[in-house]
Amino acid sequence: EIVLTQSPGTLSLSPGERATLSCRASQSVSSSYLAWYQQKPGQAPRLLIYGASSRATGIPDRFSGSGSGTDFTLTISRLEPEDFAVYYCQQYGSSPRAFGQGTKVEIK
Amino acid sequence: QVQLVQSGAEVKKPGASVKVSCKVSGYTLTELSMHWVRQAPGKGLEWMGGFDPEDGETIYAQKFQGRVTMTEDTSTDTAYMELSSLRSEDTAVYYCATVGDGYNPWGQGTLVTVSS
């Protein structure tokens, strides 16, 4: 069973700053099956990145994903006010299809 | 474009069962792989299970084995998730989501409250 650990738990930043979120897996994850989601209060998660680095339809290019094996990163190049939310990584290549525990990006 | 609309909020007593529905539009259910994820209040996302097209079977998280059943009615393009022997820890928002390149889209969520 693959366990995903996200860090940091909370990231306090100002609009315009760069955000770097980490997702580390306990075993190697095929890059084809690593996704990132954004969730705002009271809303369903929204897919941002799939296949470790491919942006989902309609996702702004300030969001980018990278990494392979056990270490993956979500980068938000310049934070917009609407980007303050919780972000989850997920591996969906093997069962159980685990999620990380989430990183909250909050306004500093 | 796939759209998922879930059934409304439920309040159940401990020991009861709940059945949440997820209606598909824009595609037929047979073209999709549907999974279920839940989120307890103030907590993270927890994968429950779903249809694995590679095996042609429904797979469940070990935590829910024996308590959860996921079914599909292809005549109405509706997926169902039934959870039995409910306890207070099952209070959560339950989401359906289609699986392809990531989980996308998601239903709007169904709040299930378990309380005596």
Side-chain angles (χ1 to χ4, degrees):
Chain A
E1 170 175 342
I2 297 176
V3 176
L4 299 179
T5 302
Q6 293 186 238
S7 61
T10 302
L11 201 50
S12 298
L13 295 168
S14 301
E17 289 194 293
R18 181 184 187 91
T20 303
L21 288 66
S22 173
C23 176
R24 179 161 291 178
S26 59
Q27 304 171 40
S28 183
V29 175
S30 165
S31 292
S32 298
Y33 301 109
L34 193 286
W36 290 92
Y37 302 88
Q38 176 193 67
Q39 188 179 34
K40 297 179 181 179
Q43 297 184 16
R46 177 174 73 144
L47 176 69
L48 299 175
I49 301 288
Y50 63 91
S53 61
S54 297
R55 270 187 302 276
T57 302
I59 301 303
D61 60 8
R62 65 180 180 273
F63 291 92
S64 63
S66 63
S68 64
T70 59
D71 288 294
F72 299 88
T73 300
L74 174 70
T75 301
I76 310 171
S77 59
R78 287 174 52 86
L79 283 164
E80 297 288 340
E82 61 268 27
D83 299 336
F84 291 92
V86 180
Y87 293 83
Y88 295 94
C89 61
Q90 184 209 19
Q91 72 83 19
Y92 53 100
S94 64
S95 292
R97 313 285 174 92
F99 290 90
Q101 82 279 19
T103 290
K104 182 179 182 180
V105 178
E106 65 176 22
I107 299 176
K108 186 174 181 180
Chain B
Q1 188 171 354
V2 181
Q3 289 190 319
L4 307 178
V5 178
Q6 299 184 220
S7 49
E10 303 261 14
V11 179
K12 296 291 183 181
K13 292 193 182 303
S17 297
V18 68
K19 193 170 186 177
V20 178
S21 68
C22 176
K23 168 75 173 170
V24 175
S25 62
Y27 275 73
T28 63
L29 194 49
T30 55
E31 299 175 280
L32 304 171
S33 173
M34 190 72 72
H35 283 220
W36 293 85
V37 176
R38 78 176 186 180
Q39 186 171 38
K43 303 297 184 182
L45 302 172
E46 183 175 31
W47 178 77
M48 299 182 68
F51 183 73
D52 185 347
E54 290 190 7
D55 295 336
E57 296 182 350
T58 300
I59 52 176
Y60 300 119
Q62 188 171 8
K63 175 177 180 176
F64 302 103
Q65 287 274 3
R67 268 206 318 141
V68 70
T69 305
M70 297 172 187
T71 56
E72 297 181 350
D73 182 343
T74 55
S75 68
T76 60
D77 289 318
T78 303
Y80 298 92
M81 186 285 301
E82 184 170 22
L83 188 62
S84 62
S85 302
L86 290 169
R87 35 210 188 229
S88 59
E89 310 89 87
D90 294 317
T91 293
V93 175
Y94 290 76
Y95 294 101
C96 58
T98 59
V99 181
D101 291 322
Y103 283 33
N104 184 40
W106 295 60
Q108 83 276 18
T110 296
L111 175 62
V112 175
T113 303
V114 183
S115 173
S116 54

